[in-house]
Amino acid sequence: MPMKALTGNEAMAEAMRQINPDVVAAYPITPATEVVQLFANFVADGRVDTEFVAVESEHSALSACIGAAAAGGRVMTSTSSQGLALMHEMLYIAAALRLPIVICGINRSLSAPINIHCDHSDTMGSRESGWMHIFAEESQEAYDSIFQAIKIAERAYLPMIVSTDGFIISHCMQRIDMLEDKEVQDFIGECKPHHSLLLTDKPYTVGPLSLQDYYFEHKRQEIEAMMQVAPIIDEVGKEFGDKFGRHYGLFEEYKLDDADNIIMAAGSAAGTAKVAVDEARDKGIKAGLLRIRVMRPFPYKQIQKVLKDKMIISVLDRSDSMSTMGGPLFIETRAALYDTETHPPICDYIYGLGGREIDVENILSVFEKGEIYKKKGVEKKLAFIGVRE
Amino acid sequence: MKETWKELPIGCIIEEGGTSRKFKTGDWRSERAIFSKEKCTNCLLCYIYCPDDSIIMKNDKVVGIDYDFCKGCGICAKICKAKAIEMKPER
């Protein structure tokens, strides 16, 4: 298999080229611009068969994607931050219409103040829209996950976002182990939509009114679809791993088994955290990392299983929920652990908003704080890393 | 309500087209358009202006109002030069 040095965005654009979707409708936004810009080149050079729709906003981009997917096409787009926010209305519609659209998302903070750098507030803000969501740690995983996303989405009939951390991953170069075009096509197979508007002998109605009499049933059905997703993600991750040697699941465990002092994180900071785990272990701390890969559906049962006997869990959240209870990863993990008998102590650290750096020392200090909390109990439920205080 | 969520087709769809014919939207109406055949000159302005295609035609002549879909907006009464359509409150 060929190796290439690519940025995260280039890797995602290459993945899109190899998928060769029927329709891509997109609007540029930093730091996701490159993905569709490169893809537009592939279209112009005749390297894909895709119908590329250059629209006037992200709202229109996802609207066009919804139309194309309802027509039975395999459809993709890419966006970031304000773009995803502008898609918000359409996100819910794509999910409820059960259209397996895939977004290459690049995580970027939301305005105001205006900022183009990474945090997770954009995709976290969409976590109740009915989209499945994978946080890729680095470019190889992003590249691999996009193929899986196509397959998962088309099996579950739900849309999916695969996201990387803006600039940190999207604009940094990494060696990517590429698949052959044919391997990709064999893996993703043929797109089999649940209905197609292009089959005029089998007309159907998309998006009709559904009031007190049936709306609830339609939503219940959508919730059920999401409940059935976790095994599909595992299954497709395993299929991918068996074929190409890189296995993926709902989350990644790094030295978790014998650890009692745990950090949980999503995205690129998990890479930094792995170095911190190693350094903490050199200091005698039984450190471990649980890296959330799939945020939607939230793998709460599996998390309960691996975290229930841990002595301290420190969650790193790259966005806040404004509930005053901490970030979304913390809140959901804590809720998951409520159903365990052990109720392991857990605390939250908000970090990296607007692209603020986080380094190994920062994460080491979380492990060190964890050692104190192990003995004395959690003193601070919610703390902030790297903010001027 | 007969079907549970398990029996419904996925994606909030209806597995046929043209289903708006089956959805009688006329019951939203608070005013009823009353058509007078005697006054009507068949200028067809009401037919052109009606936003809901609720003017019933037969042999190129207006014969009545389709109350299954007429929402009582009153545009036909307003546009009618012959005052052949009158709006009356629904009871």
Side-chain angles (χ1 to χ4, degrees):
Chain A
M1 279 179 270
M3 292 280 187
K4 265 190 182 176
L6 298 175
T7 66
N9 281 349
E10 287 168 349
M12 278 182 152
E14 277 293 322
M16 285 175 74
R17 178 187 64 72
Q18 293 181 302
I19 288 164
N20 193 7
D22 296 307
V23 175
V24 168
Y27 190 81
I29 183 164
T30 305
T33 300
E34 250 183 338
V35 178
V36 282
Q37 181 189 327
L38 292 167
F39 188 78
N41 285 346
F42 296 143
V43 176
D45 295 344
R47 297 184 66 194
V48 286
D49 310 308
T50 308
E51 181 73 34
F52 186 83
V53 192
V55 288
E56 79 284 8
S57 76
E58 286 86 355
H59 189 277
S60 304
L62 195 53
S63 299
C65 287
I66 287 169
R74 180 173 272 159
V75 183
M76 299 181 76
T77 185
S78 174
T79 195
S80 260
S81 179
Q82 308 303 123
L84 188 65
L86 190 51
M87 284 180 180
H88 195 68
E89 177 187 359
M90 308 315 294
L91 288 175
Y92 284 75
I93 295 172
L97 299 184
R98 309 286 300 276
L99 301 173
I101 301 163
V102 173
I103 292 183
C104 301
I106 314 296
N107 284 108
R108 164 186 152 183
S109 54
L110 286 168
S111 291
I114 190 164
N115 180 310
I116 55 169
H117 291 281
C118 174
D119 69 35
H120 295 163
S121 45
D122 53 358
T123 56
M124 283 299 192
S126 306
R127 70 190 189 281
E128 280 158 26
S129 64
W131 282 60
M132 304 178 288
H133 180 203
I134 287 178
F135 274 110
E137 180 187 321
E138 36 74 51
S139 302
Q140 180 73 62
E141 185 187 353
Y143 173 80
D144 292 344
S145 296
I146 291 169
F147 307 129
Q148 294 167 53
I150 293 282
K151 208 159 175 165
I152 295 162
E154 290 175 9
R155 219 172 263 185
Y157 292 124
L158 282 173
M160 192 169 213
I161 302 177
V162 177
S163 69
T164 64
D165 282 359
F167 291 104
I168 302 164
I169 301 302
S170 70
H171 285 60
C172 286
M173 213 165 250
Q174 184 183 325
R175 195 185 66 170
I176 306 289
D177 191 346
M178 308 266 298
L179 308 186
E180 304 286 353
D181 293 358
K182 191 180 174 308
E183 287 176 320
V184 170
Q185 286 302 321
D186 289 347
F187 179 73
I188 59 175
E190 197 186 328
C191 175
K192 288 180 186 129
H194 60 78
H195 284 82
S196 168
L197 285 170
L198 293 181
L199 299 175
T200 47
D201 56 332
K202 284 185 198 159
Y204 80 102
T205 307
V206 193
L209 193 69
S210 172
L211 301 177
Q212 294 96 325
D213 53 356
Y214 272 112
Y215 182 90
F216 204 165
E217 278 70 25
H218 285 129
K219 283 321 230 194
R220 175 67 185 86
Q221 204 183 50
E222 190 186 340
I223 294 162
E224 185 67 21
M226 195 57 101
M227 285 176 172
Q228 303 301 330
V229 162
I232 300 177
I233 294 177
D234 271 335
E235 209 173 273
V236 173
K238 192 178 174 304
E239 272 172 53
F240 188 90
D242 291 348
K243 268 196 175 147
F244 307 115
R246 292 182 294 275
H247 284 85
Y248 295 94
L250 299 163
F251 49 78
E252 181 191 353
E253 300 172 37
Y254 186 74
K255 303 193 176 173
L256 197 67
D257 266 357
D258 66 334
D260 58 21
N261 185 342
I262 311 303
I263 279 183
M264 243 180 115
S268 63
T272 317
K274 285 173 190 168
V275 178
V277 167
D278 292 348
E279 291 193 9
R281 283 195 170 242
D282 289 343
K283 293 182 177 186
I285 299 172
K286 286 163 105 183
L289 169 77
L290 191 157
R291 177 178 71 85
I292 276 290
R293 174 170 182 256
V294 177
M295 185 66 196
R296 279 290 175 276
F298 194 68
Y300 69 98
K301 278 186 197 156
Q302 296 82 349
I303 285 174
Q304 285 166 1
K305 215 181 268 176
V306 296
L307 291 188
K308 67 176 178 354
D309 297 320
K310 303 303 183 190
M311 290 173 75
I312 178 72
I313 299 150
S314 309
V315 180
L316 305 186
D317 262 300
R318 205 166 192 149
S319 65
D320 187 62
S321 67
M322 296 293 167
S323 67
T324 72
M325 291 205 301
L329 193 50
F330 168 70
I331 291 175
E332 298 197 3
T333 306
R334 198 179 174 202
L337 295 175
Y338 186 84
D339 288 335
T340 61
E341 282 171 13
T342 44
H343 297 117
I346 181 166
C347 60
D348 193 20
Y349 294 86
I350 307 280
Y351 75 99
L353 300 190
R356 178 67 49 88
E357 286 276 337
I358 184 164
D359 56 26
V360 176
E361 278 66 40
N362 291 141
I363 300 177
L364 261 178
S365 71
V366 172
F367 279 127
E368 277 158 7
K369 196 63 137 182
E371 288 300 297
I372 298 169
Y373 286 0
K374 262 163 61 181
K375 293 186 194 106
K376 294 188 177 172
V378 174
E379 284 159 1
K380 243 182 167 180
K381 262 281 131 82
L382 175 62
F384 300 85
I385 300 175
V387 73
R388 294 185 195 93
E389 300 201 80
Chain B
M1 288 207 298
K2 283 181 193 126
E3 294 129 312
T4 72
W5 60 268
K6 290 174 189 165
E7 285 98 47
L8 289 177
I10 71 163
C12 321
I13 64 158
I14 301 171
E15 287 177 312
E16 56 182 310
T19 52
S20 59
R21 281 189 208 94
K22 296 179 182 171
F23 188 44
K24 311 288 187 217
T25 47
D27 55 4
W28 303 349
R29 191 175 52 235
S30 62
E31 285 195 353
R32 173 175 284 248
I34 309 290
F35 171 66
S36 160
K37 202 177 168 188
E38 293 70 39
K39 293 183 187 167
C40 178
T41 60
N42 281 307
C43 68
L44 304 191
L45 277 177
C46 59
Y47 179 83
I48 293 163
Y49 275 82
C50 176
D52 265 305
D53 198 16
S54 296
I55 305 295
I56 304 170
M57 303 278 294
K58 206 172 179 184
N59 301 327
D60 296 336
K61 281 183 180 158
V62 179
V63 293
I65 313 287
D66 184 349
Y67 293 117
D68 282 347
F69 295 98
C70 169
K71 294 176 185 64
C73 70
I75 289 173
C76 55
K78 185 108 180 166
I79 206 73
C80 181
K81 307 277 189 233
K83 298 192 188 314
I85 299 175
E86 198 184 343
M87 300 307 293
K88 286 199 169 158
E90 280 284 355
R91 274 170 293 158

